[in-house]
Each structure stands twice: as structure tokens, then as C-alpha cells.
Amino acid sequence: MPQLEEEIRQHIIQYLSGLAPLSDFENWFVPILWDIDEENPSTQEMAGMVHILLAEYSRGDRTLEALREELAGVARGSAAPVVGALISAK
């Protein structure tokens, strides 16, 4: 697993565990979007999913509980079908 993917996963776990507020996670996450290696599609996909989830939450399209559930899925590596279905439905 690429290093950045593991870092994203660890930061999600810190947030979900209550060790960091959502604002800290967002402040760390948003700048790294610019640094994702195009040659690593799995990291791009993971970051894209997280970005969509955060955007939906900030627009009010997703509750905090739903955001947390989906981020937990991303951390487990099982959120792609759910997020993909949301994207297709829009």
C-alpha cells in the first residue's frame, strides 16, 4: 500500500477515534490533494472519495453520522461501491 494512502487512513482513524476534530483532519487533508501522484490510481481514488464525502457534508447533503460511517468504510477499504453509487445517482 502506498505511503500516502496509509497516512490518509491513519488520519481518518484518528478523527473517528476522537483523537482529532474534523477540522484538523480537513486542514491536513485538503492540501495533500495537490500532491497526489498521478501514477498511483488507488491513492487518487481514496483521496477522491474522501474529498467527495467532505464536500457533501459541508454542503449539508450528508449528516455527520453518515460522513463518519463512510469515512470508516474508506479506512477499511470498503467504501468505493457506496460512494460510486452516490456519484452515479447525481
Side-chain angles (χ1 to χ4, degrees):
M1 171 184 317
Q3 180 180 348
L4 185 54
E5 217 170 303
E6 183 57 31
E7 285 181 48
I8 294 170
R9 185 170 280 109
Q10 290 304 314
H11 279 275
I12 290 171
I13 291 168
Q14 286 178 351
Y15 162 64
L16 294 174
S17 300
L19 299 174
L22 181 59
S23 60
D24 284 1
F25 173 71
E26 288 177 302
N27 289 337
W28 172 83
F29 177 76
V30 171
I32 70 159
L33 289 171
W34 296 101
D35 296 329
I36 295 176
D37 184 0
E38 292 179 10
E39 296 177 13
N40 194 329
S42 66
T43 303
Q44 283 183 319
E45 183 177 345
M46 176 189 234
M49 286 188 287
V50 172
H51 186 246
I52 288 168
L53 292 169
L54 292 171
E56 289 175 345
Y57 173 70
S58 70
R59 282 193 317 254
D61 294 340
R62 181 176 293 282
T63 65
L64 183 59
E65 181 179 324
L67 172 67
R68 292 177 61 82
E69 287 174 16
E70 292 295 333
L71 286 175
V74 170
R76 287 190 308 270
S78 62
V82 175
V83 174
L86 291 172
I87 294 168
S88 299
K90 290 191 176 199

